[in-house]
Amino acid sequence: MSSSKNDPVSAWAAWDRFWFAPRSTDRMAMIRGLLCLVAAAYFATCWADAAFWYGGGGPFSAERVATFLRTAGLEGAAAWIVSPLFLFKSAWLYHLYLAVSIGVAGLVACGRGGRLAPWALWLLLVGWANRAMILAGLTESLLSLGLFASAIAPPGSLWAIRSKPPRSTSQWTAGFSQRLLATQVSVVLIATAATMLAGRVWFNGLGAYALAAPSPDRTIDWTNTILLHPLVHESLTHLMIVSLPIGLLMCWIERTNRLGKTILLLWCLIVALLGSLWLYAATMAVMVMAIDPIQKMNQQVDRASAK
Amino acid sequence: MSAKKRKQASRGRGRHPASSETRAGDDHADLSTPTGGTGPTPAVRTGLSIWAVFHLFALFVSFVSVVEPSSLQVQFLSLVDPYLTLGHFGADDRPVYLAHGNVSEQPHRLQISLDEITQIDQIDRCEWTTIGAGDYEASAALPGGAVSDRVARWVAVAATLAESEQPGVVAELLLPIARHFPKAKAIRIVRFPTDLSDVTATEESPYVARIVRSQDTLSLIQLTPKRLSSRAIDEVDGPTS
């Protein structure tokens, strides 16, 4: 009877199915493996300037941070910024931390280290990001969200999905992990669109140009290229702002899932190219791959139940 | 039902045979043992459901609060701040919006000078050298790369603090640079205009300081433009007899 779809029991069942239906462990292993590669790249980029920031006498050395927080009156607010790195003073220990982190990222990508390694990797990233304080950007937050959600899934290697014959199993932790990753990236993308619209550049057509405008801070200087033409940057601005909600909506619908993902991946590519937000865009792109339409999961459960 | 609709319906069933047969009565589908492992217990499901709602809501509020948060948002964020900070989940006022064309998004650089400076109007007479991270040379970092991003973030935060009239906090951020260059006599943050800036805009210095060294102390004295002041009229006029 159709009325059963509206009663609280069926709503709970739909919720239950959304979050706790079993999913392929290999799929999440692949997504987590890709996140590990981005995390390894992130840690590698920290190598060059770690000694400058955190070494003895550096702008963010432990003693300077303490003085800075005291002067700024932020001691209370900083009470929750927890990191083991605040105990380290020598630059080589920071390099050792980075080397271990890259190693753990590699292990997790290869499916080694059991269930503990992905959690260790997440903790290593949080420890580093919290230590970086104001030096940390959005990449660190996205990576933390991604690694946290993917650590819930059972271990597996990045390339397990391509193994023949397939060895995939379905587990509810893989399903919960994938749904958490997908809902997180959806929330972030909705918030991104909403906050973009709070600035007038995303209405008057200058948004894409504003992203590229600080050219000395960009890897590729687009300011004296075709982007200067109003038709180009205004079209790009409107496309960027429209493609976010539409692409996201399409991702959650079975028929349009692939097209939606393609739109969002293109959005990530444009953001990376214009704003030089390379690691941010890479993390976002990997997280977008976790969005599976609601119907697809229902069908999987239905098939499993029918067996 | 028309023939066309019947054809569409049968095509739909052909694509998803299992779902069409079981969807009507499967709202309580047993999720426990489909192809491997058992599902979580009802208590775990309830606990995880409550946590997921809380987590996603906290995330959403944190990410949308980067643009003028309401007092309600601020209150909520102060409650969930320990959770978001411990896991490094929050946006924490970072530019989620990518670009708004604000001054804080303009390129900022940290520069030192070996020339003595006592007044802010002398800054154009000095020779300035731009400082970066790593080996302390700005040119060492790839523009738009992670290293130059961190330097840009650091200098932009210092500029914002300087404009909020917190010179003591800015000095804490910049003192290590002054210490690293023992011959430097002045330090400044310079902000460059972009193509989106006003046509008359030129580079500006939100923070300029003189480096004062004594035997065992080092301090930065911020140089600010002289402010116009006025005296009370009766003082100017002098006492009347």
Side-chain angles (χ1 to χ4, degrees):
Chain A
M1 201 170 141
S2 62
S3 62
S4 68
K5 285 198 168 189
N6 297 324
D7 66 37
V9 178
S10 65
W12 172 251
W15 170 272
D16 210 31
R17 185 196 313 230
F18 178 87
W19 285 103
F20 304 110
R23 294 282 287 167
S24 159
T25 52
D26 287 351
R27 177 81 193 288
M28 265 316 292
M30 182 197 72
I31 292 168
R32 182 174 49 205
L34 292 173
L35 279 174
C36 286
L37 295 185
V38 181
Y42 166 75
F43 285 124
T45 63
C46 295
W47 189 277
D49 56 342
F52 166 74
W53 296 114
Y54 313 115
F60 283 84
S61 58
E63 65 270 23
R64 287 240 66 84
V65 167
T67 317
F68 168 74
L69 293 174
R70 207 168 35 248
T71 311
L74 293 171
E75 286 160 304
W80 298 104
I81 304 176
V82 177
S83 168
L85 288 165
F86 283 113
L87 304 172
F88 300 167
K89 289 181 179 173
S90 306
W92 72 269
L93 282 170
Y94 284 87
H95 285 137
L96 180 66
Y97 187 99
L98 289 172
V100 169
S101 302
I102 293 168
V104 173
L107 277 179
V108 177
C110 295
R112 307 279 176 183
R115 276 193 173 267
L116 282 180
W119 288 109
L121 178 63
W122 173 67
L123 286 173
L124 285 165
L125 180 98
V126 170
W128 188 269
N130 278 348
R131 180 66 182 88
M133 298 176 73
I134 60 168
L135 299 177
L138 278 173
T139 305
E140 286 85 344
S141 298
L142 282 187
L143 268 177
S144 174
L145 290 169
L147 291 175
F148 175 80
S150 63
I152 296 167
S157 71
L158 169 61
W159 51 85
I161 202 163
R162 302 182 71 88
S163 66
K164 286 178 184 172
R167 290 170 296 173
S168 175
T169 57
S170 292
Q171 294 196 20
W172 76 268
T173 47
F176 184 78
S177 168
Q178 190 175 338
R179 282 311 200 195
L180 184 61
L181 199 54
T183 47
Q184 282 183 158
V185 74
S186 300
V187 164
V188 171
L189 286 172
I190 291 168
T192 303
T195 53
M196 281 164 83
L197 288 172
R200 63 179 181 173
V201 290
W202 294 103
F203 283 98
N204 65 15
L206 285 172
Y209 201 84
L211 195 54
S215 53
D217 288 342
R218 300 290 181 260
T219 313
I220 305 169
D221 182 3
W222 296 94
T223 51
N224 288 317
T225 61
I226 193 169
L227 191 69
L228 198 59
H229 197 286
L231 184 69
V232 176
H233 65 247
E234 289 183 8
S235 310
L236 206 51
T237 300
H238 300 317
L239 273 175
M240 280 179 78
I241 200 70
V242 167
S243 63
L244 259 189
I246 290 178
L248 188 59
L249 185 68
M250 288 170 85
C251 280
W252 285 99
I253 298 169
E254 185 169 19
R255 275 187 183 182
T256 54
N257 174 263
R258 277 177 185 270
L259 183 59
K261 279 182 185 167
T262 309
I263 290 171
L264 290 184
L265 293 179
L266 279 173
W267 184 88
C268 291
L269 182 68
I270 292 170
V271 166
L273 288 172
L274 291 184
S276 299
L277 298 164
W278 307 108
L279 290 174
Y280 163 87
T283 313
M284 191 74 93
V286 175
M287 287 172 81
V288 161
M289 289 165 71
I291 307 176
D292 270 356
I294 297 166
Q295 297 96 318
K296 194 175 174 183
M297 184 173 279
N298 288 351
Q299 285 154 22
Q300 196 180 52
V301 177
D302 292 341
R303 276 189 225 109
S305 302
K307 282 180 189 173
Chain B
M1 190 187 276
S2 68
K4 194 178 176 184
K5 282 184 179 172
R6 272 199 301 276
K7 200 174 172 185
Q8 281 175 341
S10 75
R11 206 181 290 159
R13 276 197 297 275
R15 202 159 44 229
H16 310 300
S19 61
S20 62
E21 284 168 19
T22 55
R23 186 166 291 167
D26 70 354
D27 279 333
H28 303 286
D30 177 19
L31 307 181
S32 58
T33 55
T35 49
T38 55
T41 63
V44 172
R45 288 177 198 216
T46 308
L48 284 175
S49 297
I50 293 168
W51 170 79
V53 171
F54 162 77
H55 175 75
L56 294 172
F57 186 68
L59 207 62
F60 181 74
V61 176
S62 169
F63 273 73
V64 294
S65 296
V66 298
V67 183
E68 295 187 29
S70 68
S71 59
L72 200 62
Q73 284 173 307
V74 172
Q75 280 176 10
F76 176 76
L77 282 177
S78 65
L79 283 177
V80 298
D81 183 57
Y83 172 76
L84 293 174
T85 308
L86 277 173
H88 203 87
F89 294 138
D92 206 13
D93 290 335
R94 295 181 182 100
V96 176
Y97 44 79
L98 305 177
H100 273 176
N102 300 332
V103 285
S104 62
E105 295 162 25
Q106 289 174 215
H108 289 76
R109 295 288 181 270
L110 184 64
Q111 297 183 326
I112 55 161
S113 174
L114 305 184
D115 302 326
E116 191 81 53
I117 180 172
T118 52
Q119 300 289 329
I120 195 157
D121 50 14
Q122 296 170 334
I123 57 171
D124 291 336
R125 283 184 240 153
C126 301
E127 193 177 325
W128 296 96
T129 308
T130 303
I131 302 301
D135 58 358
Y136 290 94
E137 286 175 16
S139 56
L142 173 75
V147 175
S148 69
D149 271 359
R150 280 188 280 274
V151 175
R153 224 169 276 140
W154 171 51
V155 181
V157 167
T160 308
L161 287 168
E163 286 172 330
S164 313
E165 302 199 347
Q166 297 190 56
V169 185
V170 182
E172 287 301 334
L173 282 175
L174 304 184
L175 270 175
I177 301 298
R179 187 169 290 121
H180 188 80
F181 294 95
K183 290 182 181 171
K185 291 179 179 159
I187 190 164
R188 74 165 177 173
I189 295 169
V190 62
R191 177 189 292 143
F192 295 99
T194 67
D195 290 356
L196 291 182
S197 306
D198 192 88
V199 285
T200 57
T202 54
E203 64 177 48
E204 52 185 17
S205 304
Y207 181 81
V208 184
R210 192 156 60 93
I211 302 173
V212 180
R213 300 171 198 275
S214 64
Q215 273 197 328
D216 52 354
T217 60
L218 175 69
S219 50
L220 300 183
I221 298 173
Q222 187 181 11
L223 302 174
T224 51
K226 283 181 183 169
R227 287 177 179 167
L228 292 174
S229 58
S230 61
R231 288 181 295 168
I233 290 172
D234 55 346
E235 259 183 72
V236 173
D237 290 339
T240 51
S241 55

